[in-house]
Amino acid sequence: MNALQATDLVKSFHVEGRTIDVLRGVSLAVPQGAFHAVMGPSGSGKSTLLNLLAGLLPPDSGEVVLAGRPLAGLSDRALTLLRRRAVGIVFQDCNLIPTLTVAQNVALPALLDGRDLPPGRLDALLGLVGLTHRRDQPADRLSGGEAQRTAIARAFAMEPGIILADEPTGNLDSPAAADFCATLTRLNRALGAAILLISHDPQVAAAADVVHVLRDGRVLGAFETRHDPAAVSAAYLRALA
Ligand SMILES: Nc1ncnc2c1ncn2[C@@H]1O[C@H](COP(=O)(O)OP(=O)(O)O)[C@@H](O)[C@H]1O
Ligand SMILES: [Mg+2]
């Protein structure tokens, strides 16, 4: 059973009479509980792919099955509920509410869904991301790394089957990025949600178990990382060659 399955995704944009073919038939699957990454050069279609996988943008053709549900034909309301309950999304810009505390930001998805987080879940999440001591800190007083670890705790809050992360370390320095990757690995192991991490950085992608390589809107192949950044870098360059 897959947490996420994409089949033959095609997406073009039409701008000022021109057509940009961004995705030209992308298929990939992330098994339940797995930690995968997508690497690809800038402009290869990574963010477009993530938007399609999250149901934020419809494909021209092809199919996405998320948490066992085909996205095609779901109403906007059903998509919103699925995104809130079954998938956690993290962007480069962590999108925290600056005046709310760390704890309030992490609990927000539950609040939006009209309930409280189960007892103990907030404490467990804060512990896993190393922010127990910052729980009452307003989000606008966090370091970049702390803010992004708050965002990832929030993404896990609703016990999603899969986390989608688009260049989440893009604004972090390398120690903070390494810390973020270690946190992702810890959450994946402890909570069992699958992760699809988009990054062009071999150091970051090496946190995943498997990397899919995207270029010019096509998946060129996939390889196992063995958590070795040098090997990831070499395999990535080989795939692009
Ligand atoms: N909404 C849009 N309208 C027009 N072109 C877009 C849009 N979104 C992305 N593109 C184009 O699609 C291509 C891939 O973009 P993107 O998916 O952001 O790539 P990546 O995340 O790999 O850098 C780029 O050429 C980009 O300019
Ligand atoms: Mg992008």
Side-chain angles (χ1 to χ4, degrees):
M1 178 63 176
N2 291 318
L4 174 71
Q5 172 123 29
T7 310
D8 255 333
L9 292 177
V10 173
K11 183 74 183 177
S12 302
F13 292 108
H14 305 281
V15 185
E16 294 165 4
R18 275 188 322 131
T19 297
I20 309 169
D21 297 318
V22 179
L23 300 179
R24 304 163 188 252
V26 169
S27 300
L28 66 84
V30 182
Q32 273 182 356
F35 187 173
H36 285 199
V38 173
M39 293 181 77
S42 178
S44 58
K46 302 184 298 297
S47 292
T48 302
L49 175 61
L50 184 124
N51 282 318
L52 263 57
L53 297 177
L56 292 166
L57 208 62
D60 298 336
S61 62
E63 188 185 49
V64 176
V65 180
L66 190 62
R69 308 216 13 218
L71 298 190
L74 291 186
S75 66
D76 284 349
R77 167 103 188 120
L79 275 175
T80 300
L81 288 180
L82 188 68
R83 259 199 305 280
R84 190 182 295 157
R85 294 173 184 165
V87 52
I89 307 179
V90 182
F91 295 104
Q92 181 167 336
D93 173 3
C94 50
N95 291 319
L96 299 178
I97 298 193
T99 53
L100 295 185
T101 66
V102 167
Q104 288 167 335
N105 269 286
V106 173
L108 194 60
L111 194 70
L112 291 173
D113 210 38
R115 49 199 164 118
D116 290 322
L117 283 181
R121 181 147 185 98
L122 180 60
D123 295 338
L125 283 166
L126 292 175
L128 282 164
V129 300
L131 287 174
T132 302
H133 63 300
R134 306 289 268 164
R135 62 179 296 144
D136 296 321
Q137 196 66 219
D140 61 1
R141 278 193 244 145
L142 300 172
S143 70
E146 287 171 338
Q148 202 52 304
R149 282 185 283 127
T150 302
I152 193 70
R154 180 182 58 183
F156 274 88
M158 302 294 281
E159 302 185 51
I162 186 157
I163 300 289
L164 302 172
D166 191 1
E167 308 268 11
T169 60
N171 292 335
L172 304 182
D173 58 23
S174 36
D179 193 29
F180 180 83
C181 290
T183 304
L184 265 187
T185 302
R186 194 156 57 237
L187 288 163
N188 173 245
R189 304 266 155 81
L191 302 178
I195 298 176
L196 186 63
L197 166 66
I198 292 181
S199 180
H200 61 269
D201 181 345
Q203 295 276 355
V204 172
D209 298 311
V210 171
V211 169
H212 304 265
V213 180
L214 189 69
R215 188 182 62 190
D216 296 337
R218 288 197 175 86
V219 174
L220 300 177
F223 59 84
E224 289 187 17
T225 68
R226 300 181 207 291
H227 309 294
D228 175 351
V232 169
S233 182
Y236 175 55
L237 293 176
R238 245 192 331 270
L240 292 181

